[in-house]
Every structure is written in C-alpha cells, then in structure tokens.
Amino acid sequence: MTNTEPRRRNRRGEGGKLREEIIEAALALLDEGGDERAVTLRSVARKVGIAAPSIYPHFADQPSIMLAVVQGEMAKLATVLHEAAQNAEQDGRSQLFAVCNAYLDFAREHPQRYRIMFGGLWTPSVEDTSITDADLESLGVDAFTLLAGVLGKCVEEGIAHRSDDLYGDSVALWLGLHGLAHQRAVVRKMPGPDDVGDRLITALAHLK
Amino acid sequence: MTNTEPRRRNRRGEGGKLREEIIEAALALLDEGGDERAVTLRSVARKVGIAAPSIYPHFADQPSIMLAVVQGEMAKLATVLHEAAQNAEQDGRSQLFAVCNAYLDFAREHPQRYRIMFGGLWTPSVEDTSITDADLESLGVDAFTLLAGVLGKCVEEGIAHRSDDLYGDSVALWLGLHGLAHQRAVVRKMPGPDDVGDRLITALAHLK
DNA sequence: GACATAAGCTAACGCCCGTAAGTTGACGAG
DNA sequence: CTCGTCAACTTACGGGCGTTAGCTTATGTC
C-alpha cells in the first residue's frame, strides 16, 4: 500500500508535480473507503512516498488539500455533465435526464468523493483554516449552471411547465438530486424503489 | 466551559444517570459548533465532569455514544413532527406543509445534530465499530412513517395526484426535504429563493 | 459502626498527529 | 569545476487520543 521506493526527486522547476501527486494520494485514500479523517498530512505523505513536512511548500494545511481535491472533482463533475449533455439526443428532455443521471452516477461511483464535495469542507469556525468563504461559494457553479441551462431548454421547448423563476426551480431540482445522491453515499443500502431518481427529476422539472 | 465542580457521585443504583449525562454532553459539544470530531471520549468526559475511563461502563466506544445521540434525536424529531401534524388544521394539505416545515425547521435549528443524524454515523468498515447494520436501518422509521401517512392522506382527499406507489413517492418527497435540510446544515449561506422548501413540497407531493 | 460494593478516579502505555529546525544531495548556471 | 539553490529529508517536540489496570470513596445494609 505504502510506496517503499525511495522516490526519484523531481527535476528543477518541476516541484509543482508533487502538488498533483498529493491530490491524487488524497483521492486514493478516500477511494480506499476511508472518510475524510483518513486524509492526514502524514497519511498523504506516506501514500506519495515523501516525508510529511515536504507537503508544506505545496499546501498550508490539510483543509487546503481537501479544497484542492474538491475543486478538482467539481471540475471533473462539470466535464462529465457536459459530455452527458452532448452525447444525448439534442432535445431538452433527453438532455435533462442524461445530465441528471450522469450526476447521480457520478455520486454513486464515488461516494466518498461526493460526500466531501458537498459538505466535507465544513469546519466549525472559519478562523482556523486557510479556506476562505470565497473558495466555498465558487464551488460547483459550473455544474449548476449547466443543469439550469438544460432545464431552461426544457421550458423553452414546452416540455416543462413555465414558471416565473427558473433559477429557483433549478435549485429545487438540484436539491432533489443532491438528497438522493447524498443519501446513497452515506447509507449502505438505500431504501425506496429503483426509479426514485426519475421520479425526482420528473416532479421537480415539472415535466408535462 | 469545562465543569470544575468535583461533581457529586450518583447514588447507588442511579449510576445509569451518567449515561444520560454523557449523551447530553455529546449533544452540547455538537451544538457548540464542533463537528463530530469534537466528540471524543475525553472531551465528553471533560464536559460531564468525569474521568474518561468512567465512560466505559456505559458505552463501548465513541460510535456507541453517537448512535445513542442519533437515536435520541430521531425520537425527538418524530415527536416534533407528530405535534406539528396535530396542531395544524386537520386537512391533508395543511398537515403536509406543517410536517414538512417542522422537519426543515428542526434541521435549521440544529444543523450539527442533523448532519450526524443523516450521515454522521457512516464508518469505513462495519467491523471496527460496535454499531450494527440493524441499528442503522431502524433509524428514522417513525418520522418517515408519519410523513408517508400525511402524504397518503393528501392522496385520499384528492389534493395530491394518485400514484401507484405511495411509498416511492414518500421516499422522493423525503429525499427532497433532506437535500434542502442537509445543504442548509452544511453551507454557511444557502443560495436560492426563500420558498425552495414550498416548491419542493408542492412538486414532490404532486399537489394539484 | 462494620463492611460489601457500586461509582468513579489516577496513572500510565502506546499511537498518531501537526509542525519547527536544521540537513542533505542533485541539478544547472556561471 | 564550483557553487547556489531547489526539493526533499531527518529528527524531534508537544499534544490529544483510546484504553488498560488498579485504586479510592461514598452509599446503603446488617
């Protein structure tokens, strides 16, 4: 599990590579089934094959690593959703279901990652961490914007009932998806029928 | 913060009282704004005013304390929902909104508790904890049953569209509520309009 | 008042953690 | 070839944690 190789030092100017390796190590620790508590400076260092203090030049503290992880995963999620929209039939309904199901699939395939992306960066007080509120607020905007766009397309096509507040409806739709995704990520066996996802989407998108 | 009083020993046969005090201390630690990591055997002991090893006669380990906390809070939640249903007008629609809003209020008033009730007991492997799957599966059934009952009443009264699967619809409704409640509990400032809750309820209950 | 025992305490072990301070060694410029 | 410096290392300190083993003391009974 832990690398025993002495690890080849990076070339000059390539010190930044280690930053990527640290993030990947943190991801690996999560995927191995641990929760965020399994990601400590020391465990990450062990995984990468470096000494713990060698992390400092790249990250101020453990929350910073987590933030980087989450930012990376949010980008991946946005990409996945985008691809889903493009690969689907180009009508609103197909795209909506494609995007929503891609979202749910992402969460199902990486439960630990998902838990951290939405809620794992929570900290008692803002003071004792290097993460700012701005960091947190900018998370996930891309993915959400895409979702809202697809929902808007449905309204334009007349598939979904028009409402006075597309943004609010998009939030509601996302909250529904999130509820399901999070619950799946947190519970070993999810109760309820298999098509809960479709029901949520249909109801929250106000599909006709 | 920490009790300095030497704490009067419990009477003979009343040793069980300490169990309740431990649970209350854990709750207090949570409410003070810490996350579940703040609830350690030692911190709980400090809060109660006892020595750490004195916990062992009452709880096998930290997860056991958390389980007891969650069970207690689930009971409270069920009570709150029940009261909401009784105090509301006795028609389905009023009761539905009363129960759902009571749920959301509970989560808003006790974010830390809510986070632990739904997801905080997650552990990497079942092996290294004294919590069983049965413990987890029985959590929250009362509250859910109540919700499903009220939704059923709406269907009977013809307020909500009849579907072939009341249970599935109830799960979907709860998932929506949970998505909102959880997100509020995890984020400092929740985006979206103020009436997202009502939108979720209306859409997921299929109100006419 | 003696005494059995429930209720809780003290002390100590080993582990893992974050982090500070100083050190080594390879690379690349001059 | 020399030498600065970047990348990473070693060592070490202090602190919190869970847990074990054995001790103290109040309480209620006889």
Side-chain angles (χ1 to χ4, degrees):
Chain A
M1 195 107 318
T2 306
N3 287 338
T4 51
E5 298 279 326
R7 173 193 163 82
R8 291 188 66 93
R9 177 188 306 238
N10 281 321
R11 298 259 183 76
R12 281 242 174 153
E14 294 184 347
K17 275 188 182 175
L18 186 51
R19 186 189 158 88
E20 295 307 314
E21 292 184 58
I22 290 171
I23 296 179
E24 284 168 22
L27 268 178
L29 284 169
L30 285 175
D31 288 344
E32 279 167 19
D35 58 351
E36 60 195 304
R37 284 192 303 276
V39 182
T40 66
L41 290 186
R42 287 183 121 111
S43 69
V44 169
R46 273 194 299 270
K47 195 85 187 174
V48 179
I50 60 175
S54 303
I55 294 181
Y56 284 106
H58 304 282
F59 295 97
D61 47 18
Q62 190 262 8
S64 303
I65 302 182
M66 292 317 253
L67 175 61
V69 167
V70 169
Q71 285 171 335
E73 291 304 299
M74 284 293 189
K76 285 186 202 166
L77 174 61
T79 307
V80 167
L81 297 191
H82 221 89
E83 287 172 359
Q86 286 189 324
N87 296 339
E89 302 288 318
Q90 290 306 301
D91 62 289
R93 186 186 183 96
S94 302
Q95 287 195 322
L96 180 69
F97 276 90
V99 168
C100 290
N101 282 319
Y103 184 96
L104 295 175
D105 288 345
F106 184 93
R108 213 203 296 256
E109 288 163 18
H110 307 290
Q112 290 86 355
R113 301 188 191 186
Y114 187 85
R115 285 195 304 124
I116 290 171
M117 291 166 73
F118 300 95
L121 293 183
W122 190 89
T123 31
S125 58
V126 202
E127 293 83 31
D128 49 25
T129 182
S130 56
I131 299 181
T132 71
D133 275 355
D135 290 330
L136 295 178
E137 282 172 20
S138 64
L139 285 176
V141 238
D142 288 355
F144 177 79
T145 307
L146 179 63
L147 182 68
V150 176
L151 183 56
K153 185 169 181 182
C154 288
V155 174
E156 284 172 19
E157 291 181 6
I159 303 168
H161 282 284
R162 182 172 299 275
S163 94
D164 55 339
D165 182 7
L166 176 63
Y167 172 68
D169 286 341
S170 304
V171 173
L173 171 58
W174 172 70
L175 286 174
L177 293 176
H178 171 62
L180 174 55
H182 177 263
Q183 189 60 14
R184 278 193 187 141
V186 140
V187 145
R188 272 178 237 289
K189 210 177 121 292
M190 173 67 196
D194 293 339
D195 65 336
V196 216
D198 287 347
R199 293 191 194 213
L200 280 167
I201 300 168
T202 311
L204 290 173
H206 303 284
L207 292 189
K208 292 177 180 171
Chain B
M1 196 110 314
T2 304
N3 288 340
T4 50
E5 298 281 324
R7 176 196 159 79
R8 290 187 66 92
R9 179 194 302 239
N10 279 319
R11 299 262 182 74
R12 281 240 176 154
E14 294 183 347
K17 276 188 180 171
L18 186 50
R19 187 189 158 89
E20 295 308 312
E21 292 184 57
I22 290 170
I23 296 178
E24 284 168 22
L27 268 177
L29 284 168
L30 285 175
D31 288 345
E32 279 167 19
D35 58 352
E36 61 195 300
R37 283 193 303 277
V39 182
T40 67
L41 289 187
R42 287 183 120 109
S43 69
V44 169
R46 274 193 298 269
K47 195 84 186 174
V48 180
I50 60 175
S54 302
I55 293 181
Y56 284 104
H58 303 283
F59 294 97
D61 47 18
Q62 191 262 6
S64 303
I65 302 181
M66 293 316 250
L67 175 61
V69 167
V70 169
Q71 286 171 335
E73 291 305 300
M74 284 293 188
K76 285 186 202 166
L77 174 61
T79 306
V80 167
L81 298 191
H82 220 90
E83 288 173 359
Q86 286 190 323
N87 296 342
E89 303 287 320
Q90 290 305 303
D91 63 288
R93 186 184 183 96
S94 303
Q95 287 196 322
L96 180 69
F97 276 91
V99 168
C100 291
N101 282 319
Y103 184 96
L104 294 175
D105 288 345
F106 184 94
R108 213 202 299 253
E109 287 163 19
H110 307 290
Q112 290 88 354
R113 301 187 189 186
Y114 187 86
R115 286 196 304 122
I116 289 172
M117 291 167 71
F118 300 95
L121 293 182
W122 190 90
T123 31
S125 58
V126 202
E127 293 82 32
D128 48 26
T129 182
S130 57
I131 298 182
T132 70
D133 276 355
D135 290 330
L136 296 178
E137 282 172 21
S138 63
L139 286 175
V141 234
D142 288 356
F144 178 78
T145 306
L146 179 63
L147 181 67
V150 177
L151 182 57
K153 185 169 181 180
C154 289
V155 174
E156 283 171 20
E157 291 181 5
I159 303 167
H161 281 285
R162 181 172 299 274
S163 93
D164 54 340
D165 183 7
L166 175 63
Y167 173 68
D169 286 340
S170 304
V171 173
L173 172 56
W174 172 70
L175 285 174
L177 293 177
H178 171 62
L180 174 55
H182 177 263
Q183 190 59 14
R184 278 194 188 141
V186 141
V187 146
R188 272 178 238 288
K189 208 176 124 293
M190 172 69 196
D194 292 339
D195 65 336
V196 216
D198 287 348
R199 294 194 193 210
L200 281 167
I201 300 169
T202 311
L204 290 172
H206 303 286
L207 292 189
K208 290 176 181 172

